[in-house]
Amino acid sequence: MSEFLTIGEPIALFGSEEVDKSLKDALHFQKFLAGAEVNVAVGVSRLGHSSEYITQVGKDPFGEFIIDRLHENKIGTDYISETADFWTAFQLKDRVSDGDPSIFYFRKGSAAAHFEKEILDKIDFSEVKMAHLSGIFPAISPAAQSAFRYLIELLEKNQIRTTFDPNLRPQLWASTEEMVETINDLASHAEIVLPGINEGEILMGSRDPEAIADFYLNNGSATKTVIVKLGTEGAFVKQKDGSSYTVPGFKVAEVVDTVGAGDGFAVGLITALIEGKELEEAVVRANAIGAMAVQSPGDNDGYPTPEQLAAFLQNQKVK
Ligand code: KDG
């Protein structure tokens, strides 16, 4: 069994190779494995930790592509079901010279949206040290949300440390009210909550990192730590005992694509905590992998091996 597990919807991503061309006009795309939670599994595995990914894919070329990429990345597939009744999701992403790219999903009614929670009863938690949850999977369908809540129960029962990234995707929810209420409820079950500063504004009406952290520390029975992601500025950390500090971010020479940076942040945090590092050092690694992620076109192809991470951190010290 693995040290790390996560649940999510994997997506075949077609990233445009043509800078500043609309999705309608772009003709050349490269295919990648994507999906916020699978990105985290890829990063955790690349840093040498065993990981397991829970989902359902369709019996179709995208499903096969995803399973192949998971095997290639040494990610466990024991809790992945396959269905012939629904398709695997895919998405298009444009390439922009500035800012965030636009994304178009083909995922409604996907195989993952029809996930059946019974498979969760098979999970062996004996060696699991951390689990990562995000607000995307519970948004894709009532079945996925019900499975997600059942997984939370199992994680609580097995006393597994859990990180939660709100990962707001308004287009997947019926209304903003439903999204905010559900995400804040789900966040209250996690030991570590990882909102982005822009998400704070939507979820609790403030861009003040301290106010965002206080909201989740007071809201959550299980929440002991809140880490507010500040983009290039780094991250603000606050803990239940009232201590707080900011960990500055790293400068990036060239931003190729911002998608995947938040998942990279989770990779750094989770792997460092699995390795028994102190929280502050874990957040430094989180910022580093977030910065490395934006320098390549796919969501997760910029995530480092242990050697690449060490070289990046060493290089930053020298500067
Ligand atoms: O965080 C990266 C994700 O946004 C991307 O991989 C696709 O899971 C995805 C989503 O729903 O946006």
Side-chain angles (χ1 to χ4, degrees):
M1 191 42 218
S2 296
E3 294 168 281
F4 171 75
L5 65 80
T6 186
I7 187 168
E9 171 162 56
I11 305 179
L13 158 66
F14 292 84
S16 169
E17 294 179 326
E18 295 163 73
V19 180
D20 293 330
K21 261 240 175 106
S22 70
L23 286 177
K24 173 174 77 69
D25 293 325
L27 296 177
H28 301 282
F29 293 84
Q30 195 182 348
K31 188 162 70 162
F32 299 95
L33 167 67
E37 307 83 356
V38 81
N39 290 340
V40 178
V42 168
V44 169
S45 179
R46 200 164 288 160
L47 284 173
H49 297 284
S50 52
S51 66
E52 197 74 40
Y53 179 59
I54 308 164
T55 195
Q56 173 159 264
V57 295
K59 287 188 180 168
D60 53 58
F62 291 151
E64 289 169 27
F65 166 76
I66 284 161
I67 298 290
D68 281 358
R69 295 289 86 73
L70 294 173
H71 289 157
E72 204 176 275
N73 282 284
K74 301 191 179 64
I75 295 167
T77 54
D78 286 357
Y79 312 123
I80 298 185
S81 48
E82 289 181 335
T83 172
D85 297 332
F86 308 99
W87 302 127
T88 309
F90 70 100
Q91 71 179 85
L92 305 177
K93 178 167 77 172
D94 69 7
R95 180 88 165 262
V96 287
S97 51
D98 192 26
D100 295 329
S102 50
I103 285 167
F104 198 94
Y105 298 117
F106 299 79
R107 74 192 310 184
K108 205 173 168 46
S110 67
H114 289 87
F115 182 84
E116 291 177 17
K117 63 180 164 198
E118 288 65 34
I119 200 167
L120 301 176
D121 288 322
K122 297 195 186 141
I123 298 177
D124 172 3
F125 288 96
S126 55
E127 281 173 29
V128 179
K129 295 195 178 117
M130 293 204 59
H132 179 68
L133 301 171
S134 112
I136 299 178
F137 196 66
I140 63 173
S141 69
Q145 189 174 134
S146 151
F148 190 88
R149 288 184 184 276
Y150 183 47
L151 180 61
I152 288 178
E153 268 176 47
L154 295 173
L155 292 167
E156 284 173 345
K157 205 156 91 193
N158 288 279
Q159 298 183 327
I160 308 293
R161 299 186 77 182
T162 309
T163 46
F164 179 80
D165 183 338
N167 258 331
L168 298 186
R169 299 289 182 271
Q171 60 273 59
L172 299 179
W173 295 92
S175 67
T176 307
E177 292 71 34
E178 186 198 0
M179 173 176 79
V180 169
E181 198 183 311
T182 312
I183 293 286
N184 288 339
D185 172 41
L186 296 171
S188 74
H189 293 273
E191 180 187 320
I192 305 173
V193 180
L194 305 171
I197 184 120
N198 297 330
E199 291 178 325
E201 189 159 17
I202 301 166
L203 289 168
M204 48 73 62
S206 174
R207 286 183 64 81
D208 171 17
E210 181 116 31
I212 298 170
D214 285 342
F215 175 80
Y216 287 105
L217 288 169
N218 299 328
N219 165 35
S221 49
T223 305
K224 293 187 188 146
T225 304
V226 180
I227 307 176
V228 183
K229 292 173 277 181
L230 309 174
T232 51
E233 301 298 309
F236 173 80
V237 181
K238 187 159 185 182
Q239 292 184 276
K240 196 114 190 158
D241 64 9
S243 60
S244 67
Y245 50 91
T246 298
V247 180
F250 293 95
K251 294 234 173 338
V252 173
E254 194 206 355
V255 176
V256 176
D257 175 46
T258 54
V259 182
D263 306 327
F265 185 95
V267 169
L269 181 78
I270 290 164
T271 52
L273 293 179
I274 288 177
E275 292 162 27
K277 309 273 189 236
E278 292 297 329
L279 183 62
E280 190 164 347
E281 193 179 345
V283 179
V284 171
R285 187 188 288 186
N287 281 339
I289 301 182
M292 295 176 87
V294 301
Q295 299 179 59
S296 44
D299 284 12
N300 55 54
D301 48 329
Y303 298 168
T305 60
E307 296 72 28
Q308 288 165 334
L309 176 64
F312 179 87
L313 290 169
Q314 184 57 34
N315 191 23
Q316 297 294 326
K317 260 192 225 149
V318 171
K319 275 183 189 162

PDB file of all heavy atoms in Angstrom, residues 11 34-36 39 91 105 107 136 167 169 259-260 263 299, ligand 1:
ATOM      1  N   ILE A  11      -7.971  13.963 -16.596  1.00  0.00           N
ATOM      2  CA  ILE A  11      -8.421  14.582 -17.848  1.00  0.00           C
ATOM      3  C   ILE A  11      -7.308  14.501 -18.890  1.00  0.00           C
ATOM      4  O   ILE A  11      -6.145  14.760 -18.580  1.00  0.00           O
ATOM      5  CB  ILE A  11      -8.772  16.078 -17.607  1.00  0.00           C
ATOM      6  CG1 ILE A  11      -9.807  16.203 -16.481  1.00  0.00           C
ATOM      7  CG2 ILE A  11      -9.278  16.742 -18.869  1.00  0.00           C
ATOM      8  CD1 ILE A  11     -10.197  17.623 -16.155  1.00  0.00           C
ATOM      9  N   ALA A  34      -3.817  15.461 -17.200  1.00  0.00           N
ATOM     10  CA  ALA A  34      -4.147  16.576 -16.306  1.00  0.00           C
ATOM     11  C   ALA A  34      -5.243  16.172 -15.336  1.00  0.00           C
ATOM     12  O   ALA A  34      -5.745  15.042 -15.362  1.00  0.00           O
ATOM     13  CB  ALA A  34      -4.572  17.797 -17.118  1.00  0.00           C
ATOM     14  N   GLY A  35      -5.627  17.143 -14.516  1.00  0.00           N
ATOM     15  CA  GLY A  35      -6.579  16.904 -13.424  1.00  0.00           C
ATOM     16  C   GLY A  35      -5.849  17.293 -12.147  1.00  0.00           C
ATOM     17  O   GLY A  35      -4.747  16.799 -11.892  1.00  0.00           O
ATOM     18  N   ALA A  36      -6.438  18.213 -11.380  1.00  0.00           N
ATOM     19  CA  ALA A  36      -5.716  18.790 -10.247  1.00  0.00           C
ATOM     20  C   ALA A  36      -5.136  17.727  -9.312  1.00  0.00           C
ATOM     21  O   ALA A  36      -3.966  17.786  -8.927  1.00  0.00           O
ATOM     22  CB  ALA A  36      -6.655  19.710  -9.478  1.00  0.00           C
ATOM     23  N   ASN A  39      -2.412  15.551 -10.781  1.00  0.00           N
ATOM     24  CA  ASN A  39      -1.169  16.326 -10.830  1.00  0.00           C
ATOM     25  C   ASN A  39      -0.398  16.147  -9.521  1.00  0.00           C
ATOM     26  O   ASN A  39       0.819  15.967  -9.512  1.00  0.00           O
ATOM     27  CB  ASN A  39      -1.462  17.828 -10.998  1.00  0.00           C
ATOM     28  CG  ASN A  39      -1.995  18.169 -12.373  1.00  0.00           C
ATOM     29  OD1 ASN A  39      -1.825  17.406 -13.313  1.00  0.00           O
ATOM     30  ND2 ASN A  39      -2.651  19.319 -12.483  1.00  0.00           N
ATOM     31  N   GLN A  91     -10.013  18.107 -22.156  1.00  0.00           N
ATOM     32  CA  GLN A  91     -10.112  19.570 -22.115  1.00  0.00           C
ATOM     33  C   GLN A  91      -9.130  20.202 -23.087  1.00  0.00           C
ATOM     34  O   GLN A  91      -8.113  19.589 -23.453  1.00  0.00           O
ATOM     35  CB  GLN A  91      -9.831  20.097 -20.706  1.00  0.00           C
ATOM     36  CG  GLN A  91      -8.388  19.980 -20.279  1.00  0.00           C
ATOM     37  CD  GLN A  91      -8.133  20.535 -18.883  1.00  0.00           C
ATOM     38  OE1 GLN A  91      -8.305  19.851 -17.887  1.00  0.00           O
ATOM     39  NE2 GLN A  91      -7.705  21.762 -18.812  1.00  0.00           N
ATOM     40  N   TYR A 105     -13.716  22.635 -21.068  1.00  0.00           N
ATOM     41  CA  TYR A 105     -13.846  21.241 -20.639  1.00  0.00           C
ATOM     42  C   TYR A 105     -14.863  20.455 -21.460  1.00  0.00           C
ATOM     43  O   TYR A 105     -15.905  20.992 -21.831  1.00  0.00           O
ATOM     44  CB  TYR A 105     -14.380  21.168 -19.205  1.00  0.00           C
ATOM     45  CG  TYR A 105     -13.539  21.790 -18.135  1.00  0.00           C
ATOM     46  CD1 TYR A 105     -14.032  22.867 -17.397  1.00  0.00           C
ATOM     47  CD2 TYR A 105     -12.300  21.274 -17.801  1.00  0.00           C
ATOM     48  CE1 TYR A 105     -13.300  23.424 -16.370  1.00  0.00           C
ATOM     49  CE2 TYR A 105     -11.556  21.829 -16.768  1.00  0.00           C
ATOM     50  CZ  TYR A 105     -12.062  22.909 -16.061  1.00  0.00           C
ATOM     51  OH  TYR A 105     -11.343  23.449 -15.042  1.00  0.00           O
ATOM     52  N   ARG A 107     -16.457  17.365 -20.053  1.00  0.00           N
ATOM     53  CA  ARG A 107     -16.413  16.458 -18.895  1.00  0.00           C
ATOM     54  C   ARG A 107     -17.783  16.148 -18.294  1.00  0.00           C
ATOM     55  O   ARG A 107     -17.872  15.295 -17.430  1.00  0.00           O
ATOM     56  CB  ARG A 107     -15.489  17.042 -17.825  1.00  0.00           C
ATOM     57  CG  ARG A 107     -16.071  18.223 -17.077  1.00  0.00           C
ATOM     58  CD  ARG A 107     -15.088  18.984 -16.232  1.00  0.00           C
ATOM     59  NE  ARG A 107     -14.263  18.206 -15.335  1.00  0.00           N
ATOM     60  CZ  ARG A 107     -13.394  18.762 -14.469  1.00  0.00           C
ATOM     61  NH1 ARG A 107     -13.272  20.082 -14.405  1.00  0.00           N
ATOM     62  NH2 ARG A 107     -12.670  18.015 -13.694  1.00  0.00           N
ATOM     63  N   ILE A 136     -12.638  20.024  -6.540  1.00  0.00           N
ATOM     64  CA  ILE A 136     -13.110  19.745  -7.899  1.00  0.00           C
ATOM     65  C   ILE A 136     -13.969  18.473  -7.941  1.00  0.00           C
ATOM     66  O   ILE A 136     -15.084  18.494  -8.470  1.00  0.00           O
ATOM     67  CB  ILE A 136     -11.930  19.633  -8.886  1.00  0.00           C
ATOM     68  CG1 ILE A 136     -11.163  20.956  -8.938  1.00  0.00           C
ATOM     69  CG2 ILE A 136     -12.443  19.256 -10.278  1.00  0.00           C
ATOM     70  CD1 ILE A 136      -9.948  20.948  -9.833  1.00  0.00           C
ATOM     71  N   ASN A 167      -9.681  24.767  -4.782  1.00  0.00           N
ATOM     72  CA  ASN A 167      -9.685  24.617  -6.245  1.00  0.00           C
ATOM     73  C   ASN A 167     -11.033  25.008  -6.859  1.00  0.00           C
ATOM     74  O   ASN A 167     -11.707  24.178  -7.494  1.00  0.00           O
ATOM     75  CB  ASN A 167      -9.383  23.158  -6.612  1.00  0.00           C
ATOM     76  CG  ASN A 167      -7.949  22.960  -7.055  1.00  0.00           C
ATOM     77  OD1 ASN A 167      -7.324  23.875  -7.591  1.00  0.00           O
ATOM     78  ND2 ASN A 167      -7.416  21.776  -6.819  1.00  0.00           N
ATOM     79  N   ARG A 169     -13.939  25.892  -9.101  1.00  0.00           N
ATOM     80  CA  ARG A 169     -14.267  25.793 -10.528  1.00  0.00           C
ATOM     81  C   ARG A 169     -15.747  26.160 -10.662  1.00  0.00           C
ATOM     82  O   ARG A 169     -16.615  25.286 -10.734  1.00  0.00           O
ATOM     83  CB  ARG A 169     -14.045  24.364 -11.052  1.00  0.00           C
ATOM     84  CG  ARG A 169     -12.622  23.845 -10.942  1.00  0.00           C
ATOM     85  CD  ARG A 169     -11.674  24.535 -11.921  1.00  0.00           C
ATOM     86  NE  ARG A 169     -10.322  23.989 -11.839  1.00  0.00           N
ATOM     87  CZ  ARG A 169      -9.372  24.434 -11.014  1.00  0.00           C
ATOM     88  NH1 ARG A 169      -9.628  25.436 -10.183  1.00  0.00           N
ATOM     89  NH2 ARG A 169      -8.177  23.884 -11.010  1.00  0.00           N
ATOM     90  N   VAL A 259      -1.120  27.143 -14.983  1.00  0.00           N
ATOM     91  CA  VAL A 259      -1.953  26.048 -14.479  1.00  0.00           C
ATOM     92  C   VAL A 259      -1.054  24.928 -13.936  1.00  0.00           C
ATOM     93  O   VAL A 259      -0.081  24.540 -14.570  1.00  0.00           O
ATOM     94  CB  VAL A 259      -2.884  25.498 -15.585  1.00  0.00           C
ATOM     95  CG1 VAL A 259      -3.778  24.400 -15.025  1.00  0.00           C
ATOM     96  CG2 VAL A 259      -3.737  26.613 -16.153  1.00  0.00           C
ATOM     97  N   GLY A 260      -1.426  24.425 -12.755  1.00  0.00           N
ATOM     98  CA  GLY A 260      -0.618  23.358 -12.153  1.00  0.00           C
ATOM     99  C   GLY A 260       0.282  23.868 -11.036  1.00  0.00           C
ATOM    100  O   GLY A 260       0.875  23.080 -10.298  1.00  0.00           O
ATOM    101  N   ASP A 263      -1.236  22.951  -7.603  1.00  0.00           N
ATOM    102  CA  ASP A 263      -1.068  21.517  -7.342  1.00  0.00           C
ATOM    103  C   ASP A 263       0.400  21.229  -6.999  1.00  0.00           C
ATOM    104  O   ASP A 263       0.696  20.408  -6.126  1.00  0.00           O
ATOM    105  CB  ASP A 263      -1.496  20.688  -8.554  1.00  0.00           C
ATOM    106  CG  ASP A 263      -2.913  21.029  -9.010  1.00  0.00           C
ATOM    107  OD1 ASP A 263      -3.742  21.355  -8.139  1.00  0.00           O
ATOM    108  OD2 ASP A 263      -3.177  20.990 -10.224  1.00  0.00           O
ATOM    109  N   ASP A 299       0.400  20.627 -17.150  1.00  0.00           N
ATOM    110  CA  ASP A 299       0.131  20.936 -15.745  1.00  0.00           C
ATOM    111  C   ASP A 299       1.254  20.433 -14.848  1.00  0.00           C
ATOM    112  O   ASP A 299       1.615  21.070 -13.867  1.00  0.00           O
ATOM    113  CB  ASP A 299      -1.143  20.218 -15.277  1.00  0.00           C
ATOM    114  CG  ASP A 299      -2.410  20.866 -15.773  1.00  0.00           C
ATOM    115  OD1 ASP A 299      -2.337  21.730 -16.651  1.00  0.00           O
ATOM    116  OD2 ASP A 299      -3.480  20.490 -15.256  1.00  0.00           O
TER     117      ASP A 299
HETATM  118  O1  KDG B   1      -5.152  22.479 -11.274  1.00  0.00           O
HETATM  119  C1  KDG B   1      -5.048  22.032 -12.606  1.00  0.00           C
HETATM  120  C2  KDG B   1      -6.404  21.698 -13.121  1.00  0.00           C
HETATM  121  O2  KDG B   1      -7.125  22.865 -13.272  1.00  0.00           O
HETATM  122  C3  KDG B   1      -6.450  20.987 -14.420  1.00  0.00           C
HETATM  123  O3  KDG B   1      -5.541  19.922 -14.475  1.00  0.00           O
HETATM  124  C4  KDG B   1      -7.792  20.484 -14.808  1.00  0.00           C
HETATM  125  O4  KDG B   1      -8.660  19.329 -12.912  1.00  0.00           O
HETATM  126  C5  KDG B   1      -8.754  20.247 -13.683  1.00  0.00           C
HETATM  127  C6  KDG B   1      -9.822  21.184 -13.524  1.00  0.00           C
HETATM  128  O5  KDG B   1     -10.907  20.776 -13.179  1.00  0.00           O
HETATM  129  O6  KDG B   1      -9.620  22.360 -13.748  1.00  0.00           O
END
